[in-house]
Amino acid sequence: MPSSEVLVPLPGAARPRDALSRPLRDLRISVMDRCNFRCPYCMPRERYHESYRFLKSAERLSFEEIVRLTRLFVALGVRKLRLTGGEPLLRANLADLIGDLTSISGIEDVALTTNGILLARHAAELKAAGLERITVSLDSLDPAIFARMSGGFAGVDDVLDGIEHARRAGLSPIKVNAVIQRGINDHTALDLVERFRGTDVIVRFIEYMDVGNRNHWERELVVPSQELLERIGARWPVVPLDRNYRGEVAARYGFSDGGGEIGFISSVTQPFCGDCSRARLSSDGAFYTCLFATVGASLRDPLRAGASDEELLALIRGTWSARADRYSELRAQRRVAGERRKVEMYYIGG
Ligand SMILES: C[S@@+](CC[C@H](N)C(=O)[O-])C[C@H]1O[C@@H](n2cnc3c(N)ncnc32)[C@H](O)[C@@H]1O
Ligand code: SF4
């Protein structure tokens, strides 16, 4: 059935709640498992080498399949979408997909997370297709540290150029995500604040997380957001701001002198599982209910085998209803069992 015909109005009561009573509100879609960077905390180069077997094109969901599944998620309560990867701008004609997704009735927000390298080339067409806002990852303005944390395939200026093109194209707000690792880039965090203070770019610091099993995560490398907040606040006083909406992952702070805002995503020291309404769709169509999940439910296989919308809805609803994930809370309580096998972030999407 063409995706335009898939409209499944469901009464509010049919919207699933998971085992911890959390609704399904957000969907993160990984449109591309490949990446043109090799950030050691995500896709360490020794594991993702030239002969690593990424998905073949036919294994990835087509745009039509993504749109069909998204409509079903919307019928179950999803209102916000984030396109991610891998590097989403490596996916050819991504603007076409954005155009289709932004026109789905019920969708209130479509966002995109990118490493920014291809953004200068694509910002205007993304905006024209209906994208309103964008998140660009940039861990440090120091060229050597940036190279170390991204794999050395491009420079800081390329990312800054991408941000500038996004600004000129009218994408707003622009958020900059920086993963902070102790002894690697934490001493350059204030430079990022200084660079973007007083502009409309919002810098958000992310605690280094133990996603996947391949990034050699060590708790000692995590800089607690509270520590970073104190360092920043000592230089530029800040006040806490209210959350924009329930379930927002970043804690927001405004500069007392009116110089804009910053955010902290603290999944290690201040887990936010209690409000988590996020589902994730991998590039090959597996439905994951947590960033730290071990298994996903394939939606692509039944879809390609001819499943009806009702059958797919039942699968999504059943998977969400059974969800009891609260990995980050358990990690904080040191109740995570040893070396469990988790899905990798580039595949499921950040
Ligand atoms: C997986 S990336 C995908 C999108 C795009 N390639 C990018 O880098 O923005 C999404 C976000 O996850 C973050 N990320 C990746 N691995 C992480 C980790 N181990 N801990 C915290 N954040 C991580 C990245 O810095 C990025 O901001
Ligand atoms: S964080 Fe983004 S840019 Fe870096 S390797 Fe992962 S997917 Fe690529």
Side-chain angles (χ1 to χ4, degrees):
M1 182 187 293
S3 55
S4 57
E5 291 174 32
V6 183
L7 261 185
V8 190
L10 289 176
R15 292 193 186 145
R17 293 247 169 192
D18 73 7
L20 301 175
S21 200
R22 297 167 295 189
L24 171 54
R25 299 279 299 171
D26 313 69
L27 180 62
R28 297 196 173 194
I29 305 172
S30 172
V31 293
M32 172 53 88
D33 55 321
R34 287 178 180 271
C35 189
N36 43 8
F37 275 14
R38 286 294 179 273
C39 309
Y41 51 74
C42 178
M43 297 179 78
R45 202 192 271 249
E46 69 274 12
R47 294 303 297 260
Y48 299 96
H49 39 70
E50 279 173 13
S51 48
Y52 183 82
R53 187 192 171 287
F54 288 98
L55 296 171
K56 299 196 178 98
S57 299
E59 292 174 305
R60 291 189 198 106
L61 290 180
S62 67
F63 286 175
E64 195 182 341
E65 290 169 332
I66 291 174
V67 172
R68 179 171 172 204
L69 289 175
T70 303
R71 286 178 183 277
L72 299 178
F73 275 98
V74 169
L76 294 176
V78 163
R79 295 291 172 265
K80 291 162 66 85
L81 303 178
R82 177 172 296 277
L83 302 188
T84 177
E87 175 45 45
L89 295 184
L90 285 179
R91 183 80 189 243
N93 307 316
L94 187 70
D96 294 346
L97 176 65
I98 287 175
D100 290 345
L101 295 176
T102 48
S103 50
I104 294 177
S105 155
I107 288 295
E108 293 165 5
D109 181 42
V110 179
L112 173 76
T113 306
T114 170
N115 62 27
I117 289 306
L118 299 173
L119 190 52
R121 195 183 304 167
H122 293 292
E125 66 181 15
L126 294 172
K127 171 71 180 172
L131 189 73
E132 293 295 338
R133 63 197 190 90
I134 198 150
T135 302
V136 182
S137 301
L138 175 60
D139 297 332
S140 180
L141 293 170
D142 180 297
I145 297 172
F146 176 80
R148 177 174 174 194
M149 293 185 74
S150 59
F153 294 93
V156 174
D157 287 346
D158 300 312
V159 182
L160 293 175
D161 191 37
I163 292 172
E164 179 55 22
H165 276 77
R167 198 187 59 73
R168 276 193 238 143
L171 290 166
S172 175
I174 299 173
K175 294 179 184 166
V176 162
N177 273 1
V179 175
I180 299 298
Q181 292 181 306
R182 191 179 299 284
I184 297 180
N185 69 334
D186 57 328
H187 58 293
T188 65
L190 268 68
D191 302 343
L192 274 172
V193 178
E194 185 162 39
R195 173 71 172 71
F196 292 110
R197 243 175 61 85
T199 72
D200 42 16
V201 174
I202 301 170
V203 177
R204 306 185 320 164
F205 295 104
I206 307 180
E207 287 179 348
Y208 173 40
M209 293 184 285
D210 51 337
V211 284
N213 294 91
R214 298 177 184 170
N215 65 3
H216 312 296
W217 186 80
E218 292 171 48
R219 192 174 284 271
E220 292 64 39
L221 288 179
V222 178
V223 179
S225 292
Q226 183 59 32
E227 181 185 323
L228 208 51
L229 174 65
E230 283 164 18
R231 280 198 232 165
I232 293 168
R235 172 115 172 247
W236 301 284
V238 291
V239 289
L241 302 177
D242 288 339
R243 288 193 299 187
N244 284 317
Y245 52 89
R246 188 158 185 216
E248 185 172 32
V249 294
R252 302 167 58 221
Y253 290 83
F255 292 108
S256 305
D257 65 0
E261 70 173 84
I262 49 174
F264 295 89
I265 300 173
S266 319
S267 122
V268 179
T269 62
Q270 296 161 54
F272 34 79
C273 305
D275 272 342
C276 180
S277 53
R278 282 175 291 286
R280 295 161 196 275
L281 193 57
S282 68
S283 1
D284 58 352
F287 169 29
Y288 287 87
T289 55
C290 178
L291 179 55
F292 301 95
T294 50
V295 286
S298 179
L299 300 179
R300 182 198 65 186
D301 294 349
L303 182 154
R304 290 190 181 172
S308 66
D309 287 338
E310 288 67 27
E311 287 164 338
L312 291 168
L313 280 168
L315 179 54
I316 299 170
R317 195 190 291 112
T319 305
W320 189 262
S321 304
R323 172 190 196 238
D325 305 278
R326 48 191 289 266
Y327 177 88
S328 294
E329 288 182 352
L330 296 177
R331 181 214 300 110
Q333 298 162 14
R334 311 219 175 216
R335 284 169 56 200
V336 171
E339 265 305 287
R340 74 178 202 164
R341 217 185 133 57
K342 291 168 286 180
V343 63
E344 297 295 328
M345 192 153 176
Y346 76 92
Y347 163 72
I348 192 180

